[in-house]
Amino acid sequence: MNKKRTIALIAHDNKKAEIVEWAKANREILKNHNLCGTGTTSLRVREATGLDVKGYLSGPLGGDQQIGALVAEGKIDVVMFFCDPLSALPHDPDVKALLRIAVVYDVPIATNKVTADYILHSSLL
């Protein structure tokens, strides 16, 4: 479709290195889209790839909710949220709220690398 999309990049602490490597491997595609992300994730992706990634607050400090609000406003087209299902998270309600709002607004949300690859390489993107 060749339309410029807004893609949110989020990762739990144990998945930050993975999303950075994924972004590096997909830099040529990602550079054609508007990127944003939560705190440290946006910073690490920006530093590793040179891509322009608009940063919001850290997830536990409200960043997940900021991204969720943008989804509800129709300002985010895709969420790449590399989750760590094996770690207890103090802001778990915020994470669940973001996942719920993406479903409510029919926004694709990838919670792992394989799904992120499927979405990013889809002709529907």
Side-chain angles (χ1 to χ4, degrees):
M1 292 192 147
N2 296 332
K3 181 180 176 191
K4 193 170 200 171
R5 305 287 184 177
T6 299
I7 302 171
L9 305 173
I10 306 166
H12 288 145
D13 288 346
N14 290 341
K15 296 292 184 170
K16 288 194 190 316
E18 187 176 340
I19 202 167
V20 166
E21 289 306 310
W22 177 84
K24 286 167 53 177
N26 290 287
R27 185 186 184 290
E28 290 305 307
I29 296 171
L30 292 172
K31 74 179 184 182
N32 298 313
H33 298 282
N34 298 314
L35 305 175
C36 65
T38 52
T40 307
T41 302
S42 62
L43 177 64
R44 288 188 55 186
V45 170
R46 187 171 45 248
E47 288 176 345
T49 64
L51 293 168
D52 183 23
V53 185
K54 179 179 172 70
Y56 290 98
L57 294 172
S58 171
L61 298 178
D64 296 333
Q65 292 189 351
Q66 285 180 302
I67 298 292
L70 293 169
V71 168
E73 292 172 9
K75 295 179 179 176
I76 291 183
D77 301 299
V78 176
V79 177
M80 305 299 190
F81 191 166
F82 286 28
C83 297
D84 179 7
L86 302 178
S87 292
L89 302 167
H91 67 290
D92 193 52
D94 298 336
V95 172
K96 287 180 180 168
L98 174 56
L99 295 172
R100 183 178 61 249
I101 205 75
V103 171
V104 167
Y105 286 94
D106 281 333
V107 171
I109 184 162
T111 57
N112 60 40
K113 179 185 173 299
V114 173
T115 309
D117 284 338
Y118 272 95
I119 291 171
L120 194 66
H121 296 279
S122 169
S123 61
L124 300 175
L125 184 67

